[in-house]
Amino acid sequence: MNVTGHTRRPASIRDVATAAGVSYQTVSRVINGHPSVKPSTRDRVLAAIDELGFRRNATALALASGRSRAVTVLTANTTHYGYASILQGVEEAARAASYAVGIGVLESAEEAAVAAQVQRAADAGGGLIVIAYDPAGVRALTSVPAELPVVGVVETPASPPGGDRPWVWTDDREAAYQVTRHLLSLGHETVHYVAIPSSTRRTSARTSGWRQALREAGAPEPRPVQGSWGPAGGHTAGRKLAKDPAVTAVLCGNDDLALGVLRALHEAGRAVPDEVSVAGFDDAPHSAYLTPSLTTVRLDFTGLGRAAFALLHGAVEESAQVAPHPVSVPELVVRETSGRPPR
Amino acid sequence: MNVTGHTRRPASIRDVATAAGVSYQTVSRVINGHPSVKPSTRDRVLAAIDELGFRRNATALALASGRSRAVTVLTANTTHYGYASILQGVEEAARAASYAVGIGVLESAEEAAVAAQVQRAADAGGGLIVIAYDPAGVRALTSVPAELPVVGVVETPASPPGGDRPWVWTDDREAAYQVTRHLLSLGHETVHYVAIPSSTRRTSARTSGWRQALREAGAPEPRPVQGSWGPAGGHTAGRKLAKDPAVTAVLCGNDDLALGVLRALHEAGRAVPDEVSVAGFDDAPHSAYLTPSLTTVRLDFTGLGRAAFALLHGAVEESAQVAPHPVSVPELVVRETSGRPPR
DNA sequence: GCCAGGATTGTGACCGGTCACATATGGGCC
DNA sequence: GGCCCATATGTGACCGGTCACAATCCTGGC
């Protein structure tokens, strides 16, 4: 077919209808699996569909029906491992449900810029998934108009931003608690913490898990060092910590931060793990191959993305399997950067 | 307005029209900046638009006009630094042009799966940007139907896949050439190469740049070691190379691979850079903070993404600034993993 | 004062689907 | 045989815009 090579505009249901000798409505019934269509008619229509290479026009479908089978993921960044993994998880689940996935980057946390991005996402139609681990994301989540279906990916379910919106989360608090306990159990007097930028003004889930572990152990609670997201921030923070001989264990808000800290310790001549132990957060793919390899906690980001989509999907379609998402248990991964403190 | 709190369906141009006392067509003219509208009328319409909070429905626009102001990026993975950066670049440029960005992950390189993803992307409407650095991407690029506007992001412009489709590229060949020369200039007899999975059956641009440098220097040309994308592949490859005492310099197809190689060398007790020099490719953000820090070449992936979008944009809209994209010059970044060979 | 012609504005059809309702068709049952 | 109802199919309007064309207004030139 189309032997002429002419770019023919794609077949519509009316084309299929004429080809099959039925009305366009019948074709619509067939493609929607409506029960009351005579088998012989259905076959004729299906044959025509196949013959003409008909595909249902997603745009027209969205316009006419109002639902758009699309999700937009709003994120502050696409290159961070955790964010990118969440995105990948969303895409995976969306693909399985034949939803389209859009993406919007929140380049700045500034009010107007965020609002503009939310608007754009809303224009695209469909639901929204907002990664709200950082100020930009949180602001985006809170500024989503009420009538838009949205799911937040947040770090803590305790009073999550965005009010009573549905959300998914990894148990960051528990994860931080576990790593901190691990370090303490090795004999460290206390554990210092290099934080990622907090998503809210209040303390983050990671910070609070860390603090809880210290408190339970009766360990002193040093003030968290503020880091950024990348290794550069970790490096700066690490330089400060390296100067203090009392520091023997450092927990970092993510693996990139930990990398920077490791580098700073190395530059200061402090051996890891013999003098100082370091632990990260997230278990990025490269962490296992560092020298020394990084002790960290693994979080199931892809699963988180899938869960976020499932929740949104359930909220948008009636065939809702709205089972609250099973929070995956963070897994402590002990490697070479953690050890007993020097005596 | 909307004081009742009722979720009112968004205003359409006909709502605006009645509010302003004009016809819907006049409203359409105003929002499209058509010249022949009396200023006083225009003001009235703009006021009504503002009052009702009117936003042009993107779906209806796409259906009626045929053009959809959307791009879909097809990629094998969202978590690799290079890919994620390209995506980020595309999004940035698309946002500036108020285009929506969609994403499709090519989970498998298998024919049917790839075809399905291309179909889905086509259904979304708008253009396509295919990251064709790997087999899945290349297959996707070649299977895009001719009538769909598409831009390939490829590693080499010499007989790129996808026929005469427009493409953008980083000069991988030149980059590989530079790093290899750098290593040779330090005195290494030759440079071994751990390759990323090649995108085509023929040798990749990186491989050929490496080979050219060796040839020009009259150095022996060892057979490239096949790696994967991640550090695990580099680790396997590195273990093999570590056993051969003749190996004093290793170039890796990307920074993750290099990380794996570094780890393997460490485990085998071979010092870097004193016994073996290692260089990577891409300059991922963490590479500068490794210990020892990684010598690599920086490629402008974000710029590449922006260029890809610009090209597509130019192809789709008449207001075309189709200037062929200025290939950014790869930048050699010499750090600690490269040094003179042992004597 | 009349008319040509550009500036403004309006009307109807259409993009490709869905939805609500009307209209055949075919059995089963009294 | 007639009636009722479930099954099968068709018709018209609509989603919210655009496009092509028609209609009206206004102004200057003769």
Side-chain angles (χ1 to χ4, degrees), chain A residues 10-186:
Chain A
S12 74
I13 55 168
R14 322 214 180 213
D15 298 331
V16 174
T18 19
V22 296
S23 78
Y24 53 82
Q25 179 62 293
T26 301
V27 176
S28 174
R29 290 201 181 89
V30 170
I31 59 188
N32 287 303
H34 189 98
S36 62
V37 175
K38 204 201 290 183
S40 66
T41 315
R42 180 192 315 279
D43 290 347
R44 225 155 5 108
V45 170
L46 288 175
I49 285 179
D50 202 51
E51 162 100 21
L52 299 177
F54 167 81
R55 305 209 90 215
R56 196 225 241 95
N57 180 321
T59 306
L61 173 61
L63 179 59
S65 68
R67 25 206 146 91
S68 64
R69 302 187 78 72
V71 207
T72 300
V73 178
L74 244 35
T75 174
N77 188 292
T78 64
T79 62
H80 285 131
Y81 173 66
Y83 289 4
S85 302
I86 292 172
L87 174 61
Q88 187 134 338
V90 170
E91 197 276 345
E92 197 182 311
R95 174 152 32 93
S98 33
Y99 266 58
V101 181
I103 177 156
V105 174
L106 304 163
E107 203 166 80
S108 113
E110 193 249 318
E111 185 84 41
V114 168
Q117 274 294 60
V118 171
Q119 278 286 18
R120 286 169 46 69
D123 287 349
L128 238 58
I129 290 177
V130 180
I131 301 184
Y133 274 89
D134 49 71
V138 169
R139 173 159 279 168
L141 187 53
T142 54
S143 63
V144 172
E147 65 271 19
L148 229 58
V150 59
V151 169
V153 181
V154 302
E155 57 170 353
T156 167
S159 73
D164 50 359
R165 297 293 175 59
W167 70 84
V168 294
W169 56 299
T170 46
D171 198 345
D172 282 25
R173 185 190 157 88
E174 169 66 20
Y177 178 77
Q178 278 189 25
V179 203
T180 309
R181 286 203 43 149
H182 161 66
L183 291 168
L184 290 172
S185 77
L186 289 169

Side-chain angles (χ1 to χ4, degrees), chain A residues 7 55 58-60 62-63 77-79 84-85 87-88 91-92 95 98-105 107 117 119-120 123 147 231-232 235 259-260 263 266 285-286 289-293 336, chain B residues 7 55 58-60 62-63 77-79 84-85 87-88 91-92 95 98-105 107 117 119-120 123 147 231-232 235 259-260 263 266 285-286 289-293 336:
Chain A
T7 297
R55 305 209 90 215
T59 306
L63 179 59
N77 188 292
T78 64
T79 62
S85 302
L87 174 61
Q88 187 134 338
E91 197 276 345
E92 197 182 311
R95 174 152 32 93
S98 33
Y99 266 58
V101 181
I103 177 156
V105 174
E107 203 166 80
Q117 274 294 60
Q119 278 286 18
R120 286 169 46 69
D123 287 349
E147 65 271 19
H235 190 242
L259 182 60
R263 176 78 199 183
H266 167 77
H286 59 255
Y289 292 90
L290 295 177
T291 307
S293 59
E336 298 166 356
Chain B
T7 297
R55 306 209 90 215
T59 307
L63 178 60
N77 190 291
T78 65
T79 61
S85 301
L87 175 60
Q88 188 133 337
E91 197 277 344
E92 197 181 313
R95 174 151 33 93
S98 34
Y99 267 58
V101 181
I103 179 155
V105 173
E107 205 165 80
Q117 273 295 59
Q119 279 285 17
R120 284 169 47 69
D123 286 349
E147 65 272 19
H235 190 242
L259 182 59
R263 176 78 199 182
H266 167 76
H286 59 254
Y289 292 90
L290 296 175
T291 307
S293 59
E336 299 166 356

